[in-house]
Amino acid sequence: MSKLEIKDFRVSIGDKPIVKGFNLTINSGEVHAIMGPNGTGKSTLAKAIAGHPDYAVTGGDVLLDGKSVLAMEPDERARAGLFLAFQYPSEIPGVSIANFLRAAVQARMAEGEELDATGYYKRLYSKMDLLKIDRKFTSRSVNEGFSGGEKKRCEILQMAMLEPKFALMDETDSGLDIDALRIVADGVNALRGGQLGIMLITHYQRLLDYIVPDFVHVMYDGRLVKSGDKSLALELEAKGYDWVKQELAAASA
Ligand code: ADP
Ligand code: MG
């Protein structure tokens, strides 16, 4: 049982505060959806937790099983069990998915520990079977000429191979066609439960028709302002975000 605690977390880009005291705890096995209007700081939150160098943490803490990750380099955070699915993964021409994933798995092993080829392919094929991915897929170059759906398949396979404790998934609506949406949803549903905790950022309600989250949260102006179950996502779809803003204004009046 693991726990990711985000406590009064504050992040600035340059001098501009973007995340302004964000609180959330995610336990193993839980899927938390974070929704909210554009520009509210969702991507900044995920990138800062993963340790992206452009984002300055100005307050609060992020604890993985009670231990702060903030002093760790991004690769140490990954080794500790955090996984960030990137919004726009880059192309790596000439590097096959199989070799890329092997390097990624190797990089997360302790020093001196070696990944043997037989063990690696066994793990790779069992994950591919779980995710119903064709064996031919892994001989392709990473993201080269990939459709939106293929990029997502690569990302989900990477997540499955790395077996993180917590995955931070940032899904914009742009570029998510129905094919890509199904791949993300099927992948998350195959991997969820058990030990994996997921923070799924989306302002695309439709994704939540396929992935039923355990908790839904609304982020607004850098803070988490409302939490509920899956019915909150339906309410947001029907009514938009204005009523959340009105509730906030009424509460602070
Ligand atoms: P969301 O993911 O909720 O749409 P973001 O975290 O992407 O929100 O952005 C939050 C705010 O931070 C926005 O006002 C955006 O303009 C600003 N911002 C994001 N990235 C940068 C950046 N690299 N440089 C300057 N401002 C940025
Ligand atoms: Mg975003």
Side-chain angles (χ1 to χ4, degrees):
M1 187 71 177
S2 282
K3 191 188 279 225
L4 181 67
E5 293 168 281
I6 306 164
K7 289 184 164 172
D8 194 34
F9 195 46
R10 291 162 196 271
V11 183
S12 291
I13 302 175
D15 294 335
K16 195 173 156 211
I18 307 289
V19 178
K20 304 172 183 175
F22 186 97
N23 290 286
L24 179 67
T25 297
I26 303 179
N27 295 300
S28 296
E30 296 174 350
V31 177
H32 291 250
I34 312 247
M35 307 185 76
N38 250 330
T40 219
K42 302 183 296 297
S43 297
T44 303
L45 171 74
K47 286 180 182 161
I49 295 172
H52 194 294
D54 291 353
Y55 302 83
V57 174
T58 57
D61 213 341
V62 177
L63 307 169
L64 178 55
D65 292 329
K67 193 167 178 269
S68 178
V69 303
L70 294 183
M72 299 179 188
E73 294 297 322
D75 64 316
E76 289 177 77
R77 297 184 200 204
R79 244 177 279 135
L82 291 179
F83 177 82
L84 178 69
F86 291 96
Q87 278 183 345
Y88 304 108
S90 41
E91 279 186 25
I92 317 181
V95 175
S96 71
I97 292 173
N99 282 331
F100 167 73
L101 291 176
R102 190 169 173 177
V105 171
Q106 178 72 60
R108 275 160 189 72
M109 295 174 75
E111 226 169 292
E113 221 183 313
E114 269 297 318
L115 183 66
D116 75 285
T118 321
Y120 168 70
Y121 277 100
K122 211 173 146 200
R123 179 154 152 198
L124 178 63
Y125 290 148
S126 89
K127 299 297 184 189
M128 289 174 73
D129 290 346
L130 176 71
L131 297 168
K132 302 190 176 69
I133 296 175
D134 196 286
R135 296 272 152 99
K136 284 199 287 275
F137 185 66
T138 50
S139 55
R140 305 253 324 254
S141 287
V142 177
N143 289 336
E144 202 176 13
F146 275 16
S147 67
E150 286 166 337
K151 282 185 181 170
K152 287 292 157 189
R153 190 169 281 135
C154 186
E155 197 175 273
I156 294 280
L157 180 58
Q158 190 186 354
M159 182 164 114
M161 286 300 285
L162 294 176
E163 298 179 344
K165 290 178 178 154
F166 293 97
L168 315 175
M169 304 181 70
D170 191 355
E171 305 298 344
T172 52
D173 50 357
S174 55
L176 268 195
D177 57 18
I178 193 76
D179 179 39
L181 203 74
R182 288 308 295 250
I183 288 163
V184 171
D186 292 347
V188 166
N189 288 328
L191 299 176
R192 74 186 291 180
Q195 290 303 300
L196 178 64
I198 297 176
M199 181 166 105
L200 178 67
I201 296 172
T202 182
H203 52 194
Y204 201 34
Q205 150 64 31
R206 217 158 128 207
L207 185 59
L208 303 183
D209 290 341
Y210 301 110
I211 303 169
V212 179
D214 300 303
F215 304 93
V216 174
H217 310 280
V218 180
M219 185 170 182
Y220 180 68
D221 192 23
R223 295 179 189 88
L224 201 156
V225 296
K226 201 169 180 65
S227 296
D229 61 14
K230 60 182 192 257
S231 65
L232 177 57
L234 298 174
E235 205 172 348
L236 290 167
E237 186 185 27
K239 301 202 276 183
Y241 290 105
D242 282 351
W243 64 282
V244 178
K245 295 180 201 172
Q246 281 155 16
E247 266 188 18
L248 282 175
S252 65

mmCIF file with all atom_site columns, all heavy atoms in Angstrom, residues 107-121:
data_model
loop_
_atom_site.group_PDB
_atom_site.id
_atom_site.type_symbol
_atom_site.label_atom_id
_atom_site.label_alt_id
_atom_site.label_comp_id
_atom_site.label_asym_id
_atom_site.label_entity_id
_atom_site.label_seq_id
_atom_site.pdbx_PDB_ins_code
_atom_site.Cartn_x
_atom_site.Cartn_y
_atom_site.Cartn_z
_atom_site.occupancy
_atom_site.B_iso_or_equiv
_atom_site.pdbx_formal_charge
_atom_site.auth_seq_id
_atom_site.auth_comp_id
_atom_site.auth_asym_id
_atom_site.auth_atom_id
_atom_site.pdbx_PDB_model_num
ATOM 1   N N   . ALA A 1 107 ? 17.243 1.799   -16.866 1.00 0.00 ? 107 ALA A N   1
ATOM 2   C CA  . ALA A 1 107 ? 17.581 3.047   -16.180 1.00 0.00 ? 107 ALA A CA  1
ATOM 3   C C   . ALA A 1 107 ? 16.945 3.130   -14.795 1.00 0.00 ? 107 ALA A C   1
ATOM 4   O O   . ALA A 1 107 ? 17.431 3.858   -13.933 1.00 0.00 ? 107 ALA A O   1
ATOM 5   C CB  . ALA A 1 107 ? 17.144 4.248   -17.024 1.00 0.00 ? 107 ALA A CB  1
ATOM 6   N N   . ARG A 1 108 ? 15.897 2.406   -14.600 1.00 0.00 ? 108 ARG A N   1
ATOM 7   C CA  . ARG A 1 108 ? 15.227 2.467   -13.298 1.00 0.00 ? 108 ARG A CA  1
ATOM 8   C C   . ARG A 1 108 ? 15.675 1.372   -12.331 1.00 0.00 ? 108 ARG A C   1
ATOM 9   O O   . ARG A 1 108 ? 15.189 1.284   -11.217 1.00 0.00 ? 108 ARG A O   1
ATOM 10  C CB  . ARG A 1 108 ? 13.717 2.425   -13.482 1.00 0.00 ? 108 ARG A CB  1
ATOM 11  C CG  . ARG A 1 108 ? 13.174 3.821   -13.756 1.00 0.00 ? 108 ARG A CG  1
ATOM 12  C CD  . ARG A 1 108 ? 11.829 3.780   -14.390 1.00 0.00 ? 108 ARG A CD  1
ATOM 13  N NE  . ARG A 1 108 ? 11.394 5.094   -14.846 1.00 0.00 ? 108 ARG A NE  1
ATOM 14  C CZ  . ARG A 1 108 ? 11.895 5.744   -15.885 1.00 0.00 ? 108 ARG A CZ  1
ATOM 15  N NH1 . ARG A 1 108 ? 12.918 5.258   -16.572 1.00 0.00 ? 108 ARG A NH1 1
ATOM 16  N NH2 . ARG A 1 108 ? 11.409 6.914   -16.240 1.00 0.00 ? 108 ARG A NH2 1
ATOM 17  N N   . MET A 1 109 ? 16.611 0.545   -12.782 1.00 0.00 ? 109 MET A N   1
ATOM 18  C CA  . MET A 1 109 ? 17.091 -0.515  -11.890 1.00 0.00 ? 109 MET A CA  1
ATOM 19  C C   . MET A 1 109 ? 18.232 0.018   -11.034 1.00 0.00 ? 109 MET A C   1
ATOM 20  O O   . MET A 1 109 ? 18.864 1.013   -11.371 1.00 0.00 ? 109 MET A O   1
ATOM 21  C CB  . MET A 1 109 ? 17.554 -1.714  -12.721 1.00 0.00 ? 109 MET A CB  1
ATOM 22  C CG  . MET A 1 109 ? 16.387 -2.347  -13.475 1.00 0.00 ? 109 MET A CG  1
ATOM 23  S SD  . MET A 1 109 ? 16.862 -3.639  -14.606 1.00 0.00 ? 109 MET A SD  1
ATOM 24  C CE  . MET A 1 109 ? 17.189 -4.945  -13.463 1.00 0.00 ? 109 MET A CE  1
ATOM 25  N N   . ALA A 1 110 ? 18.470 -0.641  -9.925  1.00 0.00 ? 110 ALA A N   1
ATOM 26  C CA  . ALA A 1 110 ? 19.544 -0.224  -9.022  1.00 0.00 ? 110 ALA A CA  1
ATOM 27  C C   . ALA A 1 110 ? 20.892 -0.426  -9.704  1.00 0.00 ? 110 ALA A C   1
ATOM 28  O O   . ALA A 1 110 ? 21.016 -1.240  -10.625 1.00 0.00 ? 110 ALA A O   1
ATOM 29  C CB  . ALA A 1 110 ? 19.477 -1.044  -7.738  1.00 0.00 ? 110 ALA A CB  1
ATOM 30  N N   . GLU A 1 111 ? 21.893 0.331   -9.270  1.00 0.00 ? 111 GLU A N   1
ATOM 31  C CA  . GLU A 1 111 ? 23.217 0.233   -9.850  1.00 0.00 ? 111 GLU A CA  1
ATOM 32  C C   . GLU A 1 111 ? 23.760 -1.189  -9.703  1.00 0.00 ? 111 GLU A C   1
ATOM 33  O O   . GLU A 1 111 ? 23.598 -1.807  -8.658  1.00 0.00 ? 111 GLU A O   1
ATOM 34  C CB  . GLU A 1 111 ? 24.162 1.214   -9.144  1.00 0.00 ? 111 GLU A CB  1
ATOM 35  C CG  . GLU A 1 111 ? 25.016 1.998   -10.119 1.00 0.00 ? 111 GLU A CG  1
ATOM 36  C CD  . GLU A 1 111 ? 25.738 3.131   -9.410  1.00 0.00 ? 111 GLU A CD  1
ATOM 37  O OE1 . GLU A 1 111 ? 25.039 4.076   -8.974  1.00 0.00 ? 111 GLU A OE1 1
ATOM 38  O OE2 . GLU A 1 111 ? 26.958 3.033   -9.302  1.00 0.00 ? 111 GLU A OE2 1
ATOM 39  N N   . GLY A 1 112 ? 24.374 -1.695  -10.767 1.00 0.00 ? 112 GLY A N   1
ATOM 40  C CA  . GLY A 1 112 ? 24.937 -3.050  -10.707 1.00 0.00 ? 112 GLY A CA  1
ATOM 41  C C   . GLY A 1 112 ? 23.938 -4.131  -11.077 1.00 0.00 ? 112 GLY A C   1
ATOM 42  O O   . GLY A 1 112 ? 24.330 -5.252  -11.393 1.00 0.00 ? 112 GLY A O   1
ATOM 43  N N   . GLU A 1 113 ? 22.652 -3.797  -11.058 1.00 0.00 ? 113 GLU A N   1
ATOM 44  C CA  . GLU A 1 113 ? 21.627 -4.777  -11.421 1.00 0.00 ? 113 GLU A CA  1
ATOM 45  C C   . GLU A 1 113 ? 21.526 -4.826  -12.940 1.00 0.00 ? 113 GLU A C   1
ATOM 46  O O   . GLU A 1 113 ? 21.518 -3.792  -13.597 1.00 0.00 ? 113 GLU A O   1
ATOM 47  C CB  . GLU A 1 113 ? 20.287 -4.341  -10.823 1.00 0.00 ? 113 GLU A CB  1
ATOM 48  C CG  . GLU A 1 113 ? 19.457 -5.479  -10.247 1.00 0.00 ? 113 GLU A CG  1
ATOM 49  C CD  . GLU A 1 113 ? 18.105 -4.969  -9.744  1.00 0.00 ? 113 GLU A CD  1
ATOM 50  O OE1 . GLU A 1 113 ? 18.088 -3.937  -9.036  1.00 0.00 ? 113 GLU A OE1 1
ATOM 51  O OE2 . GLU A 1 113 ? 17.089 -5.575  -10.090 1.00 0.00 ? 113 GLU A OE2 1
ATOM 52  N N   . GLU A 1 114 ? 21.484 -6.022  -13.495 1.00 0.00 ? 114 GLU A N   1
ATOM 53  C CA  . GLU A 1 114 ? 21.429 -6.156  -14.954 1.00 0.00 ? 114 GLU A CA  1
ATOM 54  C C   . GLU A 1 114 ? 20.094 -6.730  -15.402 1.00 0.00 ? 114 GLU A C   1
ATOM 55  O O   . GLU A 1 114 ? 19.522 -7.594  -14.750 1.00 0.00 ? 114 GLU A O   1
ATOM 56  C CB  . GLU A 1 114 ? 22.566 -7.067  -15.446 1.00 0.00 ? 114 GLU A CB  1
ATOM 57  C CG  . GLU A 1 114 ? 23.848 -6.336  -15.790 1.00 0.00 ? 114 GLU A CG  1
ATOM 58  C CD  . GLU A 1 114 ? 23.710 -5.337  -16.938 1.00 0.00 ? 114 GLU A CD  1
ATOM 59  O OE1 . GLU A 1 114 ? 23.047 -5.662  -17.951 1.00 0.00 ? 114 GLU A OE1 1
ATOM 60  O OE2 . GLU A 1 114 ? 24.265 -4.219  -16.811 1.00 0.00 ? 114 GLU A OE2 1
ATOM 61  N N   . LEU A 1 115 ? 19.626 -6.217  -16.514 1.00 0.00 ? 115 LEU A N   1
ATOM 62  C CA  . LEU A 1 115 ? 18.379 -6.699  -17.082 1.00 0.00 ? 115 LEU A CA  1
ATOM 63  C C   . LEU A 1 115 ? 18.733 -7.774  -18.105 1.00 0.00 ? 115 LEU A C   1
ATOM 64  O O   . LEU A 1 115 ? 19.380 -7.488  -19.102 1.00 0.00 ? 115 LEU A O   1
ATOM 65  C CB  . LEU A 1 115 ? 17.677 -5.525  -17.763 1.00 0.00 ? 115 LEU A CB  1
ATOM 66  C CG  . LEU A 1 115 ? 16.320 -5.762  -18.378 1.00 0.00 ? 115 LEU A CG  1
ATOM 67  C CD1 . LEU A 1 115 ? 15.296 -6.078  -17.308 1.00 0.00 ? 115 LEU A CD1 1
ATOM 68  C CD2 . LEU A 1 115 ? 15.882 -4.527  -19.150 1.00 0.00 ? 115 LEU A CD2 1
ATOM 69  N N   . ASP A 1 116 ? 18.343 -9.032  -17.871 1.00 0.00 ? 116 ASP A N   1
ATOM 70  C CA  . ASP A 1 116 ? 18.684 -10.055 -18.862 1.00 0.00 ? 116 ASP A CA  1
ATOM 71  C C   . ASP A 1 116 ? 17.623 -10.097 -19.953 1.00 0.00 ? 116 ASP A C   1
ATOM 72  O O   . ASP A 1 116 ? 16.447 -9.815  -19.705 1.00 0.00 ? 116 ASP A O   1
ATOM 73  C CB  . ASP A 1 116 ? 18.880 -11.430 -18.207 1.00 0.00 ? 116 ASP A CB  1
ATOM 74  C CG  . ASP A 1 116 ? 17.564 -12.050 -17.812 1.00 0.00 ? 116 ASP A CG  1
ATOM 75  O OD1 . ASP A 1 116 ? 16.996 -11.592 -16.798 1.00 0.00 ? 116 ASP A OD1 1
ATOM 76  O OD2 . ASP A 1 116 ? 17.093 -12.952 -18.517 1.00 0.00 ? 116 ASP A OD2 1
ATOM 77  N N   . ALA A 1 117 ? 18.094 -10.395 -21.168 1.00 0.00 ? 117 ALA A N   1
ATOM 78  C CA  . ALA A 1 117 ? 17.238 -10.294 -22.352 1.00 0.00 ? 117 ALA A CA  1
ATOM 79  C C   . ALA A 1 117 ? 16.002 -11.194 -22.249 1.00 0.00 ? 117 ALA A C   1
ATOM 80  O O   . ALA A 1 117 ? 14.894 -10.780 -22.570 1.00 0.00 ? 117 ALA A O   1
ATOM 81  C CB  . ALA A 1 117 ? 18.042 -10.645 -23.602 1.00 0.00 ? 117 ALA A CB  1
ATOM 82  N N   . THR A 1 118 ? 16.193 -12.401 -21.769 1.00 0.00 ? 118 THR A N   1
ATOM 83  C CA  . THR A 1 118 ? 15.064 -13.336 -21.684 1.00 0.00 ? 118 THR A CA  1
ATOM 84  C C   . THR A 1 118 ? 13.983 -12.792 -20.745 1.00 0.00 ? 118 THR A C   1
ATOM 85  O O   . THR A 1 118 ? 12.798 -12.780 -21.082 1.00 0.00 ? 118 THR A O   1
ATOM 86  C CB  . THR A 1 118 ? 15.545 -14.708 -21.130 1.00 0.00 ? 118 THR A CB  1
ATOM 87  O OG1 . THR A 1 118 ? 16.823 -14.977 -21.692 1.00 0.00 ? 118 THR A OG1 1
ATOM 88  C CG2 . THR A 1 118 ? 14.584 -15.804 -21.470 1.00 0.00 ? 118 THR A CG2 1
ATOM 89  N N   . GLY A 1 119 ? 14.434 -12.340 -19.590 1.00 0.00 ? 119 GLY A N   1
ATOM 90  C CA  . GLY A 1 119 ? 13.498 -11.784 -18.609 1.00 0.00 ? 119 GLY A CA  1
ATOM 91  C C   . GLY A 1 119 ? 12.785 -10.566 -19.153 1.00 0.00 ? 119 GLY A C   1
ATOM 92  O O   . GLY A 1 119 ? 11.577 -10.397 -18.965 1.00 0.00 ? 119 GLY A O   1
ATOM 93  N N   . TYR A 1 120 ? 13.553 -9.740  -19.867 1.00 0.00 ? 120 TYR A N   1
ATOM 94  C CA  . TYR A 1 120 ? 12.971 -8.519  -20.418 1.00 0.00 ? 120 TYR A CA  1
ATOM 95  C C   . TYR A 1 120 ? 11.865 -8.844  -21.431 1.00 0.00 ? 120 TYR A C   1
ATOM 96  O O   . TYR A 1 120 ? 10.767 -8.289  -21.361 1.00 0.00 ? 120 TYR A O   1
ATOM 97  C CB  . TYR A 1 120 ? 14.052 -7.650  -21.070 1.00 0.00 ? 120 TYR A CB  1
ATOM 98  C CG  . TYR A 1 120 ? 13.457 -6.532  -21.894 1.00 0.00 ? 120 TYR A CG  1
ATOM 99  C CD1 . TYR A 1 120 ? 12.809 -5.468  -21.277 1.00 0.00 ? 120 TYR A CD1 1
ATOM 100 C CD2 . TYR A 1 120 ? 13.506 -6.566  -23.286 1.00 0.00 ? 120 TYR A CD2 1
ATOM 101 C CE1 . TYR A 1 120 ? 12.229 -4.458  -22.030 1.00 0.00 ? 120 TYR A CE1 1
ATOM 102 C CE2 . TYR A 1 120 ? 12.929 -5.559  -24.047 1.00 0.00 ? 120 TYR A CE2 1
ATOM 103 C CZ  . TYR A 1 120 ? 12.295 -4.513  -23.408 1.00 0.00 ? 120 TYR A CZ  1
ATOM 104 O OH  . TYR A 1 120 ? 11.704 -3.529  -24.158 1.00 0.00 ? 120 TYR A OH  1
ATOM 105 N N   . TYR A 1 121 ? 12.174 -9.725  -22.379 1.00 0.00 ? 121 TYR A N   1
ATOM 106 C CA  . TYR A 1 121 ? 11.165 -10.024 -23.407 1.00 0.00 ? 121 TYR A CA  1
ATOM 107 C C   . TYR A 1 121 ? 9.950  -10.738 -22.833 1.00 0.00 ? 121 TYR A C   1
ATOM 108 O O   . TYR A 1 121 ? 8.828  -10.535 -23.284 1.00 0.00 ? 121 TYR A O   1
ATOM 109 C CB  . TYR A 1 121 ? 11.794 -10.782 -24.587 1.00 0.00 ? 121 TYR A CB  1
ATOM 110 C CG  . TYR A 1 121 ? 12.444 -9.800  -25.536 1.00 0.00 ? 121 TYR A CG  1
ATOM 111 C CD1 . TYR A 1 121 ? 13.811 -9.575  -25.506 1.00 0.00 ? 121 TYR A CD1 1
ATOM 112 C CD2 . TYR A 1 121 ? 11.661 -9.035  -26.406 1.00 0.00 ? 121 TYR A CD2 1
ATOM 113 C CE1 . TYR A 1 121 ? 14.400 -8.623  -26.338 1.00 0.00 ? 121 TYR A CE1 1
ATOM 114 C CE2 . TYR A 1 121 ? 12.247 -8.091  -27.241 1.00 0.00 ? 121 TYR A CE2 1
ATOM 115 C CZ  . TYR A 1 121 ? 13.614 -7.890  -27.205 1.00 0.00 ? 121 TYR A CZ  1
ATOM 116 O OH  . TYR A 1 121 ? 14.182 -6.941  -28.013 1.00 0.00 ? 121 TYR A OH  1
#
